[in-house]
Each structure stands twice: as structure tokens, then as C-alpha cells.
Amino acid sequence: MRAILFLFVLLAVTACQYQSNKPLPNTQINPETLSQMNAHRPDVFSFSRHDEVKIKHLDLNLEVNFKQLILEGFVVVHYDVINPDAKRLVLDTRELKIKRVEPLYEQKHNKLNWNKGDSIAGLGTELIINIPEDHSPIKIYYQTSPQASGLQWLSPAQTHGQHPYLFSQSQAIHARSWIPIQDTPSVRITYNAKIQVKPNLRVVMSADNNTQQAVDGLHTFSMQQAIPAYLIAIAAGDIQYKKISDHVTVFAQQQLLSDAAYEFAATEEMISVTEAIYGEYRWGQYDLLVLPPSFPFGGMENPKLSHITPTIIAGDRSLDSLIAHELAHSWSGNLVTNALWQDAWLNEGFTSYLESRIVEAVYGRDRMMMEATLIYDAMLAEMQQLDNNMQKLVNTSKTNDPDDFFSSVAYDKGRFFLEWLEQQFGREHFDRFLNQYFDHFAFQSISTEDFVTFLKENLMDRYPNTVTTEQIHTWLHQPAMPVFFNPPKTQRFAVISDIADKWTSGKVRAKNIDTSQWTTQEWLHFLRSLPVQLTFVQLQELDQAFDLTHSTNSEISHDWLLIAINNRYEIAYPRLIDYLTHIGRVKLIKPLYEAMMKQGELINLATNIYQKARPGYHHIAIQQIDKIVKQTIGDEP
Ligand code: BES
Ligand code: ZN
């Protein structure tokens, strides 16, 4: 009896040591609280005091435990003492169970004093460690929670195979849920890792992935270029690989491998064209990891190994601009990094601009312009929903969630700003300038001001009277799009708009439209040019002519399903259910739930589908879809 009681107490205590069982939704923090509690720290989204003691290298030693859904082991933290009087190392943690902290070189039993400091919902908990007198590295034994916000654990049924799967998604501030770390893009570190997993499974990381290593349980990695915490990544599962060119190996589950290898065949050429304009690719290998469909994003630029959603495998390479985007981050973002999330446009705007240049070089101007037009239209629609502070490139909103900085403003307004600069200075001058920029700030984390100073010195002063300081100011600090910007236009879409109008007004029948040469981009523009309200007969006509309900292109399906929802076209519902229960990419599923929740009679359908799909979604998706569903029905789904 006593033994049982003891066990019970032990269990209860262990459970309590996790800060909570469920990731706390960021919405719970009041922005006021955040600015009060964290304003004195260099980055409001991090507890770290890297102005005093700054980490510089990590040695990770972890075991992937698929039974308990945890990572467990230790990390050795190497650091620099910036302020000679500093006595404490401050790290970010979120739902980590810290077991023991000791200096690396002193005697084992010589534990270090540590304590938990502030806790803020969404940000996690401050870990304060008294540094040893000799400043020797610090070894922290810890384990993650099964609910770690930066990890998704998949059962075999959620993958394409017979084995479980684990992947991380650290951006923006989830690295702290699997590593005690200074989780701010201002701090850069190198790392080594030893990862233990059950035999026959492969582990990959944002580091050199040596395919010659045996899959016998122990996997070692080394990342020798300094990167911010949000770029540390891991995945484990029955991952196979295929080398597709000199620098590129595709990693995926066997079932997807050959399709992925076909789809991403242009990657090597993308590397060459980017190097030709912006300078050397500095990371050695550029590999692609194709994740299971629950991956919540399109892509994530983890260095040396971009993480990619399988939903861009369309069979015709028409959605591979996303590869261009993640690759481009190897310059904008990974090499030159926004020091604070408020400046996310330095990462995403530059990358979206580079992406367009790569697409133009590889696929020609027509495709680039079609994509530009789709993006511009979507951006205007999204910007209408944002308040003035959120519409500025240098975002001045008081948000408590760094993800808010990743709206189409950072991506697309940022991109069009750089495109405009290119137009004003001419491509040759602007390319040379950006090439210098990447070289000058390589492996540094910078602010918008750093960029503006560099722009003035290296472009505006060299070619005076080309743009004015006021114009730059308007781009960076005013809401909306500047009136002096000319929106992109393409003849290819003018033709499509015309066909859409003709069909809508009954002048042409769907079956008589020649779509044989249409690209994905033209299909998307066609669907977006249709009136919001369509009759059943009209929808059926389109479906019979083009079989849209059974499109295997995830973007076209998305747009078609949205139309189906808005017009209650029930024939597409089975496909809708299938789509939402198989895909977890937020960009593709969120608008569909939103649309259903707006149609009173589809609320039940939406909640039923969500109930079935929710356990398979990543917590980032769950957090967002919960909000939509709760807003409408008012309680937990
Ligand atoms: N770095 C982002 C993904 C991201 C942003 C993750 C913010 C977490 C927080 C990545 O490079 C990206 O932008 N992905 C886009 C694709 C792109 C083509 C616009 C995506 O996932 O949709
Ligand atoms: Zn990006």
C-alpha cells in the first residue's frame, strides 16, 4: 500500500514538474503584461539576457523516445560572458522538465544552482543558472513534454508507412520547447548533436546529413555555421533518400520519394541561378525533407535541409516556387537574419523577392508575373483586414505573438518594395547592391535600420536623385501600398479574366473553353475571377467539363472547395472531408473552415470534420482552427 502511495506521489510530482499539460495558446497573454514583464529584456519574446551572458555553442545528446513521446538527455551549453560582472545565464524553456544542472569540467556532484524565473503564457518559463566561477560549459539534463509545442509526434497511421515519425518546427519561438536555449534570432550558435533512436529509423537535422551513416540507432550531426535557435531542426522516422543532383538529396518516406524527386528536379538549377546573382551558396549541401501532410507550413528554411510540405507535389513542377523560396532563405534569413521578429520583413520580404527572381530565371517572366499578380491580389485582400500598424513594413502593433509579424505585409509588401527599388536603380545596380548586402552582413542578425543605413551608403548616395528618403520612409512606415507603386499586370491573366467573364455571362460553355495549355497559375486566376455566388447548374457545368472536384493539385482543389462551400455544392463534400482529414497545412485548411463557419448550415459539417481531423493536426494548426470554431460555436470543439 505504501509503495503504491509513494508511486502515486511520485507520478503526481513528475506531472507537476511540467509547466502545463497543454501548450498555452498565445492568445492568453495580454500585450500589456508582456511589455511590462519583458520590456527590459533585449527581445520581448525571449527571457534571455544575452547582453550579459550569451550562448555560442550547444552539444545536444538526446534520445528519441517514441513510447513516451519525449526527447530526453542533456545539452552542454557553451557561452561567452559579455558583462564581466554577470553571474547568471538566462535561457528560455517551455514545458521542459529540468532534471539536473552541472558544470562540465568540475566534479559531477558539484551541481549548479538554478531556478525558474518568470513564466508568461506563450513564452514559457525563464531558466536562470548561476554560472560556475571558471565559466566552464554547463550541462543540463532535461526532457521534453509530450505536448512540446515545437514537436509533432505522429503515429504510424498518420504517416505513409508502418513507423512513427517525429518532426520539429522551431520558428518562431518553439525551439525552447525542445531545447533550453536563448530563443531569440539575435543570438547565433553552432551545434553538434548525438541522437539516439530505435534501429532502422533515420534521424535528420538542420546540419550535414551524412547518408553513409548506418541507421543503427545512433546519429551524429555537426552544424558549424552559427545560426539562430529557430533554425535548429530535427526529424526522425522511416526516412529514405535519393540524391537528385550534385548538391541536392531528397529525403522522404518511400511512398513519396520518386514523385518528390521528379517534382524538385529544378532545385540544382535554382541554386546556380541564385549564386550567379547573389553570391556563393555558403552551406555546402542543400537537401529537401518532404514531411508527412500534417506539416503545418508550406516550407521551412532549416539550413542545409529545408522542410517541405508534400502538398506541393503536383506532378508538373508548377508549385515549386516554394522550393525557390526556402532555398532563397539560405541568403535572406539564414545568412542575414532579422535580429527581432518585429523585422520579419527582412527575412520574408527579401526571400519573396529572391524567390521571384529565381522563378523568373528558371521558368521565365510569364510565370513569375502570373505569380506576382496572384500574390498582389491576395495581399490587397488580406491588408484590408489588418489595422494600420499591421500594414507597415516596420510593424508597430503591440502584439504578444511573433507569428503576427508574418502577414502578407512582411512577405509581399516587402517583396514589392525591393522590386520597386530594382526598377528605380536598374537590375544591374540593384543586384550588385544585394550581393554586397549578403556579403557584408553574412552570419549576422540585423535590424531595419542596419538595412536602411547600408542602402543609403551603397545605393542612394552612389546614384543620387533616383529615389527620395520620403519614398523609403513611405514604404517602411506608412500603412497600405504607396500610391507611386505600379501593381503587376500580365497579359496571360487578361485573357483568362476575359474567358471567365464570357463564361459567367453565358457567352461561352465550359466544355468549349480550351484549357489544354493552362498552367496552375491560370487555373487559380480563373477560379478567383468567378463571381462569389454561382448556381448549382453553373458549378456542375464547370465540374463536368474540368472534373475540378477530383483535381490532384492541392492549390486548385483548395480554391474549388472554397467555391463549393460558398455555394453549398454538395457533390464536392466527400472530397472536402477527404482533403481536410489528410492535409494539415494551415494555409490550405484554415480558409475552408472559416468559409464553412460563415455558412450557418455548414457549421455542423465543419465541426464534425474538425473533430475527426483535429487529432492529426499540428498544434499550430489546432491553435488557429480552434479559434475559428470556438468563435462561432462558443465552446471547446
Ligand atoms: N519561414 C517561413 C515559415 C514560417 C514563418 C514558420 C513564420 C513559422 C513562423 C517559410 O519560409 C515560409 O515563408 N513558408 C511559406 C512558403 C512561401 C512560399 C510563402 C509557407 O509555409 O506558406
Ligand atoms: Zn519564408
Side-chain angles (χ1 to χ4, degrees), residues 217-283:
L218 181 67
H219 303 255
T220 60
F221 302 91
S222 174
M223 179 43 146
Q224 298 186 13
Q225 284 125 315
I227 56 166
Y230 78 89
L231 292 177
I232 306 182
I234 190 170
D238 60 337
I239 299 167
Q240 311 292 325
Y241 67 90
K242 187 170 183 194
K243 185 167 161 58
I244 62 166
S245 61
D246 273 0
H247 297 93
V248 188
T249 295
V250 173
F251 290 87
Q253 290 190 274
Q254 188 61 46
Q255 291 78 353
L256 280 178
L257 195 57
S258 61
D259 287 352
Y262 175 84
E263 202 75 21
F264 305 143
T267 311
E268 186 75 32
E269 191 187 345
M270 290 179 175
I271 300 173
S272 317
V273 305
T274 321
E275 285 191 307
I277 315 176
Y278 301 110
E280 189 195 354
Y281 175 78
R282 305 203 198 197
W283 307 87

XYZ file of all heavy atoms in Angstrom, residues 217-283:
530
model
N 20.823 3.239 -34.915
C 20.390 3.782 -33.635
C 21.034 5.095 -33.266
O 20.369 5.977 -32.760
N 22.325 5.253 -33.538
C 22.997 6.494 -33.150
C 23.291 7.349 -34.382
O 23.873 6.873 -35.360
C 24.310 6.197 -32.413
C 25.051 7.452 -31.965
C 24.277 8.204 -30.890
C 26.458 7.111 -31.464
N 22.878 8.612 -34.320
C 23.073 9.519 -35.458
C 23.794 10.765 -34.968
O 23.381 11.366 -33.982
C 21.732 9.900 -36.079
C 20.950 8.698 -36.520
N 20.817 8.337 -37.849
C 20.298 7.758 -35.808
C 20.113 7.218 -37.924
N 19.784 6.841 -36.697
N 24.869 11.139 -35.656
C 25.626 12.308 -35.189
C 25.591 13.424 -36.228
O 25.542 13.158 -37.429
C 27.084 11.948 -34.875
O 27.679 11.450 -36.072
C 27.183 10.899 -33.805
N 25.600 14.634 -35.738
C 25.469 15.803 -36.604
C 26.394 16.901 -36.140
O 26.717 17.000 -34.959
C 24.034 16.344 -36.557
C 23.009 15.335 -36.950
C 22.417 14.525 -35.984
C 22.655 15.175 -38.282
C 21.488 13.573 -36.349
C 21.714 14.223 -38.651
C 21.119 13.416 -37.682
N 26.741 17.758 -37.105
C 27.526 18.916 -36.753
C 27.072 20.087 -37.609
O 26.990 19.983 -38.823
C 29.000 18.595 -37.001
O 29.749 19.745 -36.786
N 26.741 21.192 -36.956
C 26.382 22.414 -37.660
C 27.421 23.443 -37.309
O 27.438 23.973 -36.198
C 24.984 22.870 -37.240
C 24.543 24.155 -37.915
S 24.947 24.179 -39.666
C 23.604 25.073 -40.330
N 28.318 23.713 -38.241
C 29.476 24.534 -37.902
C 29.325 26.000 -38.247
O 30.214 26.792 -37.977
C 30.713 23.939 -38.563
C 30.953 22.541 -38.030
C 32.248 21.930 -38.515
O 33.093 22.618 -39.058
N 32.398 20.636 -38.312
N 28.204 26.348 -38.870
C 27.947 27.772 -39.107
C 26.960 28.264 -38.061
O 26.010 27.554 -37.727
C 27.402 27.980 -40.512
C 28.475 27.870 -41.580
C 28.110 26.841 -42.622
O 27.663 25.742 -42.309
N 28.285 27.202 -43.867
N 27.197 29.479 -37.586
C 26.371 29.973 -36.490
C 24.976 30.349 -36.984
O 24.825 31.153 -37.902
C 27.046 31.171 -35.838
N 23.967 29.764 -36.355
C 22.570 30.007 -36.743
C 21.737 30.348 -35.508
O 22.071 29.954 -34.388
C 21.954 28.768 -37.447
C 22.073 27.512 -36.554
C 22.588 28.532 -38.799
C 21.214 26.349 -36.993
N 20.633 31.068 -35.711
C 19.736 31.332 -34.591
C 18.945 30.088 -34.195
O 18.810 29.145 -34.998
C 18.806 32.410 -35.127
C 18.898 32.321 -36.614
C 20.235 31.745 -36.941
N 18.404 30.113 -32.978
C 17.711 28.940 -32.429
C 16.564 28.458 -33.313
O 16.313 27.255 -33.420
C 17.171 29.279 -31.033
N 15.867 29.386 -33.970
C 14.676 28.982 -34.723
C 15.005 28.119 -35.925
O 14.110 27.556 -36.546
C 13.842 30.214 -35.126
C 14.365 31.003 -36.311
C 13.983 30.684 -37.615
C 15.230 32.088 -36.148
C 14.445 31.406 -38.712
C 15.688 32.818 -37.223
C 15.295 32.470 -38.506
O 15.767 33.189 -39.583
N 16.320 28.024 -36.251
C 16.714 27.199 -37.392
C 17.235 25.831 -36.979
O 17.729 25.075 -37.807
C 17.757 27.935 -38.238
C 17.253 29.185 -38.970
C 18.393 29.879 -39.718
C 16.127 28.841 -39.950
N 17.138 25.492 -35.720
C 17.534 24.148 -35.300
C 16.353 23.220 -35.555
O 15.223 23.512 -35.152
C 17.934 24.100 -33.819
C 19.009 25.154 -33.544
C 18.455 22.711 -33.454
C 19.495 25.140 -32.110
N 16.615 22.127 -36.250
C 15.506 21.249 -36.634
C 15.918 19.791 -36.573
O 17.089 19.448 -36.726
C 15.049 21.584 -38.049
N 14.921 18.955 -36.346
C 15.147 17.511 -36.302
C 13.943 16.789 -36.893
O 12.813 17.294 -36.811
C 15.376 17.060 -34.832
C 15.862 15.602 -34.774
C 14.114 17.233 -33.992
C 16.336 15.165 -33.400
N 14.175 15.639 -37.492
C 13.066 14.760 -37.871
C 13.562 13.332 -37.739
O 14.753 13.057 -37.917
C 12.595 15.036 -39.294
N 12.667 12.430 -37.381
C 13.037 11.017 -37.257
C 11.876 10.167 -37.739
O 10.717 10.466 -37.466
C 13.374 10.688 -35.803
N 12.197 9.114 -38.463
C 11.150 8.229 -38.963
C 11.753 7.282 -39.994
O 12.974 7.210 -40.136
N 10.886 6.573 -40.730
C 11.422 5.678 -41.762
C 11.677 6.518 -43.016
O 10.986 6.419 -44.024
C 10.508 4.482 -42.035
C 9.138 4.898 -42.513
O 8.744 6.043 -42.229
O 8.467 4.098 -43.186
N 12.698 7.344 -42.909
C 13.005 8.324 -43.954
C 14.032 7.712 -44.912
O 15.101 7.282 -44.501
C 13.558 9.615 -43.300
C 12.503 10.226 -42.356
C 13.968 10.611 -44.369
C 13.056 11.321 -41.440
N 13.667 7.701 -46.189
C 14.574 7.206 -47.222
C 15.141 8.411 -47.968
O 14.687 9.530 -47.751
C 13.833 6.293 -48.200
C 12.996 5.216 -47.548
C 13.854 4.172 -46.832
O 14.952 3.838 -47.287
N 13.364 3.672 -45.703
N 16.082 8.181 -48.852
C 16.642 9.332 -49.557
C 17.000 8.991 -50.989
O 17.184 7.828 -51.347
C 17.876 9.863 -48.828
C 19.038 8.907 -48.841
C 19.985 8.948 -49.860
C 19.176 7.939 -47.843
C 21.043 8.047 -49.878
C 20.224 7.041 -47.853
C 21.149 7.098 -48.872
O 22.183 6.203 -48.903
N 17.091 10.031 -51.808
C 17.535 9.877 -53.189
C 18.331 11.118 -53.559
O 17.832 12.232 -53.445
C 16.314 9.742 -54.088
C 16.666 9.420 -55.502
C 15.460 9.057 -56.347
C 15.992 8.693 -57.727
N 15.006 8.620 -58.738
N 19.562 10.896 -53.981
C 20.377 12.040 -54.415
C 19.900 12.426 -55.801
O 19.854 11.579 -56.702
C 21.852 11.618 -54.433
C 22.828 12.722 -54.742
C 24.245 12.242 -54.403
C 25.373 13.026 -55.052
N 25.450 14.424 -54.814
N 19.488 13.681 -56.003
C 18.957 14.040 -57.320
C 19.903 14.913 -58.144
O 19.689 15.084 -59.337
C 17.545 14.699 -57.234
C 17.566 16.006 -56.450
C 16.522 13.734 -56.642
C 16.293 16.836 -56.625
N 20.929 15.476 -57.500
C 21.920 16.248 -58.264
C 23.122 16.487 -57.358
O 23.149 16.017 -56.219
C 21.325 17.578 -58.727
O 20.951 18.347 -57.604
N 24.085 17.254 -57.853
C 25.336 17.451 -57.115
C 25.131 17.860 -55.659
O 25.750 17.308 -54.759
C 26.161 18.557 -57.781
C 27.028 17.978 -58.879
O 26.943 16.744 -59.077
O 27.748 18.745 -59.527
N 24.268 18.860 -55.444
C 24.130 19.396 -54.086
C 22.856 18.963 -53.396
O 22.612 19.357 -52.256
C 24.165 20.930 -54.114
C 25.451 21.483 -54.615
N 25.662 21.810 -55.920
C 26.613 21.736 -53.968
C 26.900 22.241 -56.068
N 27.497 22.208 -54.899
N 21.996 18.247 -54.099
C 20.645 18.034 -53.570
C 20.309 16.557 -53.371
O 20.384 15.751 -54.303
C 19.575 18.660 -54.499
C 18.200 18.597 -53.832
C 19.934 20.088 -54.879
N 19.920 16.238 -52.133
C 19.365 14.926 -51.838
C 17.947 15.135 -51.313
O 17.722 16.033 -50.505
C 20.216 14.195 -50.779
O 21.509 13.934 -51.334
C 19.596 12.870 -50.354
N 17.003 14.343 -51.816
C 15.637 14.433 -51.319
C 15.432 13.336 -50.275
O 15.739 12.164 -50.532
C 14.608 14.272 -52.459
C 13.194 14.206 -51.897
C 14.729 15.421 -53.447
N 14.963 13.734 -49.098
C 14.606 12.778 -48.046
C 13.081 12.718 -47.958
O 12.413 13.752 -47.911
C 15.152 13.235 -46.683
C 16.651 13.145 -46.569
C 17.457 14.201 -46.981
C 17.260 12.001 -46.050
C 18.846 14.121 -46.876
C 18.639 11.916 -45.941
C 19.436 12.979 -46.358
N 12.543 11.514 -47.930
C 11.080 11.367 -47.839
C 10.774 9.934 -47.469
O 11.639 9.061 -47.521
C 10.412 11.705 -49.169
N 9.530 9.709 -47.106
C 9.132 8.319 -46.929
C 9.084 7.658 -48.311
O 8.826 8.321 -49.317
C 7.780 8.257 -46.228
C 7.905 8.691 -44.780
C 6.633 8.400 -44.013
O 5.694 9.196 -44.007
N 6.604 7.237 -43.383
N 9.355 6.375 -48.330
C 9.497 5.644 -49.578
C 8.360 5.928 -50.570
O 8.586 6.146 -51.754
C 9.555 4.134 -49.266
C 9.894 3.263 -50.459
C 11.282 3.601 -51.035
O 12.261 3.745 -50.298
N 11.350 3.759 -52.352
N 7.143 5.985 -50.042
C 5.966 6.135 -50.904
C 5.968 7.435 -51.701
O 5.289 7.537 -52.721
C 4.681 6.080 -50.058
C 4.360 4.731 -49.455
C 5.193 4.398 -48.216
O 6.123 5.119 -47.839
N 4.883 3.270 -47.589
N 6.703 8.432 -51.220
C 6.685 9.744 -51.886
C 7.962 10.029 -52.656
O 8.032 10.992 -53.417
C 6.533 10.852 -50.825
C 5.155 11.124 -50.270
C 5.245 12.217 -49.197
C 4.221 11.578 -51.390
N 8.964 9.181 -52.435
C 10.313 9.549 -52.839
C 10.462 9.818 -54.334
O 11.008 10.839 -54.741
C 11.293 8.463 -52.373
C 12.762 8.833 -52.389
C 13.020 10.075 -51.551
C 13.604 7.671 -51.880
N 9.924 8.940 -55.184
C 10.174 9.153 -56.607
C 9.353 10.330 -57.135
O 9.839 11.102 -57.961
C 9.926 7.873 -57.403
O 8.592 7.490 -57.248
N 8.148 10.519 -56.640
C 7.361 11.685 -57.059
C 8.056 12.976 -56.640
O 8.104 13.950 -57.393
C 5.955 11.665 -56.426
C 5.065 10.609 -57.067
O 5.495 10.012 -58.089
O 3.962 10.364 -56.549
N 8.582 12.964 -55.410
C 9.266 14.156 -54.908
C 10.522 14.432 -55.740
O 10.793 15.582 -56.107
C 9.622 13.983 -53.439
N 11.272 13.390 -56.041
C 12.495 13.565 -56.827
C 12.160 14.173 -58.190
O 12.857 15.077 -58.674
C 13.206 12.227 -56.993
N 11.076 13.742 -58.788
C 10.658 14.313 -60.072
C 10.268 15.792 -59.907
O 10.708 16.662 -60.648
C 9.475 13.526 -60.650
C 8.938 14.149 -61.922
C 9.523 13.863 -63.160
C 7.897 15.069 -61.887
C 9.076 14.469 -64.323
C 7.431 15.692 -63.036
C 8.021 15.381 -64.253
O 7.579 15.985 -65.390
N 9.442 16.037 -58.902
C 8.882 17.378 -58.701
C 9.969 18.423 -58.453
O 9.846 19.560 -58.873
C 7.924 17.344 -57.490
C 6.904 18.456 -57.486
C 5.785 18.242 -58.503
O 5.591 17.080 -58.914
O 5.130 19.217 -58.880
N 11.020 18.033 -57.756
C 12.012 19.017 -57.309
C 13.277 19.014 -58.170
O 14.336 19.484 -57.746
C 12.347 18.773 -55.829
C 11.106 18.786 -54.952
C 10.971 17.918 -53.873
C 10.057 19.651 -55.236
C 9.814 17.926 -53.084
C 8.896 19.667 -54.456
C 8.778 18.804 -53.383
N 13.133 18.523 -59.389
C 14.297 18.386 -60.272
C 14.972 19.714 -60.595
O 16.140 19.744 -60.965
C 13.893 17.675 -61.561
N 14.246 20.824 -60.461
C 14.844 22.123 -60.832
C 15.723 22.710 -59.723
O 16.336 23.769 -59.907
C 13.750 23.118 -61.204
N 15.786 22.031 -58.580
C 16.465 22.633 -57.425
C 17.926 23.003 -57.708
O 18.376 24.098 -57.350
C 16.378 21.685 -56.204
O 15.019 21.262 -56.061
C 16.813 22.386 -54.939
N 18.644 22.113 -58.351
C 20.069 22.399 -58.613
C 20.211 23.664 -59.467
O 21.048 24.527 -59.186
C 20.715 21.192 -59.308
C 22.225 21.294 -59.504
C 23.021 21.078 -58.211
O 22.583 20.309 -57.327
O 24.100 21.700 -58.090
N 19.355 23.779 -60.480
C 19.404 24.971 -61.326
C 19.045 26.219 -60.512
O 19.621 27.295 -60.713
C 18.445 24.812 -62.509
C 18.640 25.894 -63.564
C 17.584 25.859 -64.663
O 16.864 24.838 -64.771
O 17.474 26.868 -65.394
N 18.117 26.058 -59.592
C 17.753 27.198 -58.736
C 18.959 27.668 -57.926
O 19.185 28.871 -57.755
C 16.606 26.821 -57.791
C 15.277 26.624 -58.497
S 13.988 26.147 -57.298
C 12.535 26.146 -58.366
N 19.740 26.706 -57.426
C 20.945 27.078 -56.662
C 21.896 27.857 -57.571
O 22.386 28.930 -57.200
C 21.661 25.828 -56.091
C 20.728 25.037 -55.157
C 22.943 26.225 -55.356
C 21.290 23.696 -54.690
N 22.121 27.352 -58.774
C 23.073 28.022 -59.675
C 22.626 29.433 -60.012
O 23.432 30.362 -60.001
C 23.233 27.271 -61.000
O 23.335 25.919 -60.781
N 21.331 29.615 -60.328
C 20.911 30.970 -60.722
C 20.984 31.924 -59.528
O 21.298 33.096 -59.691
C 19.514 31.013 -61.401
C 19.465 30.072 -62.608
C 18.393 30.698 -60.440
N 20.721 31.423 -58.339
C 20.795 32.312 -57.168
C 22.249 32.694 -56.901
O 22.557 33.861 -56.614
C 20.183 31.637 -55.922
O 19.029 30.898 -56.305
C 19.785 32.676 -54.881
N 23.139 31.709 -57.018
C 24.567 32.015 -56.803
C 25.062 33.041 -57.813
O 25.839 33.931 -57.473
C 25.399 30.737 -56.947
C 25.277 29.808 -55.757
C 26.309 28.681 -55.805
O 26.368 27.979 -56.848
O 27.041 28.510 -54.815
N 24.578 32.924 -59.049
C 25.040 33.841 -60.103
C 24.671 35.285 -59.758
O 25.408 36.213 -60.079
C 24.444 33.441 -61.450
N 23.550 35.494 -59.110
C 23.154 36.878 -58.792
C 23.660 37.309 -57.410
O 24.159 38.411 -57.240
C 21.610 37.060 -58.819
C 20.999 36.394 -60.058
C 21.249 38.552 -58.781
C 19.475 36.454 -60.112
N 23.512 36.458 -56.414
C 23.697 36.901 -55.022
C 24.948 36.363 -54.340
O 25.149 36.580 -53.144
C 22.455 36.551 -54.193
C 21.206 37.197 -54.769
C 20.218 36.426 -55.379
C 21.054 38.581 -54.747
C 19.087 37.015 -55.938
C 19.935 39.186 -55.306
C 18.961 38.396 -55.896
O 17.863 38.986 -56.453
N 25.743 35.621 -55.084
C 26.978 35.112 -54.481
C 26.814 33.682 -53.992
O 25.719 33.139 -53.917
N 27.946 33.146 -53.623
C 28.080 31.739 -53.276
C 27.020 31.223 -52.285
O 26.667 31.911 -51.321
C 29.464 31.592 -52.638
C 29.903 30.193 -52.401
C 31.099 30.152 -51.441
O 31.636 31.223 -51.072
O 31.462 29.033 -51.046
N 26.554 30.008 -52.525
C 25.735 29.282 -51.541
C 26.701 28.785 -50.473
O 27.605 28.000 -50.762
C 25.005 28.116 -52.227
C 24.239 27.235 -51.264
C 23.011 27.646 -50.755
C 24.745 25.987 -50.850
C 22.307 26.853 -49.859
C 24.047 25.197 -49.962
C 22.832 25.636 -49.467
O 22.141 24.852 -48.574
N 26.521 29.236 -49.244
C 27.586 29.019 -48.246
C 27.368 27.846 -47.311
O 28.018 27.741 -46.275
C 27.735 30.271 -47.380
C 27.974 31.501 -48.213
C 28.646 32.522 -47.372
N 28.534 33.843 -47.969
C 29.302 34.854 -47.617
N 30.222 34.698 -46.684
N 29.154 36.026 -48.185
N 26.422 26.972 -47.641
C 26.065 25.949 -46.668
C 26.396 24.527 -47.128
O 25.922 23.568 -46.531
C 24.562 26.047 -46.351
C 24.118 27.425 -45.942
C 23.730 28.441 -46.766
C 24.032 27.938 -44.600
N 23.398 29.551 -46.031
C 23.564 29.269 -44.694
C 24.282 27.391 -43.338
C 23.353 30.074 -43.573
C 24.059 28.198 -42.229
C 23.612 29.516 -42.353
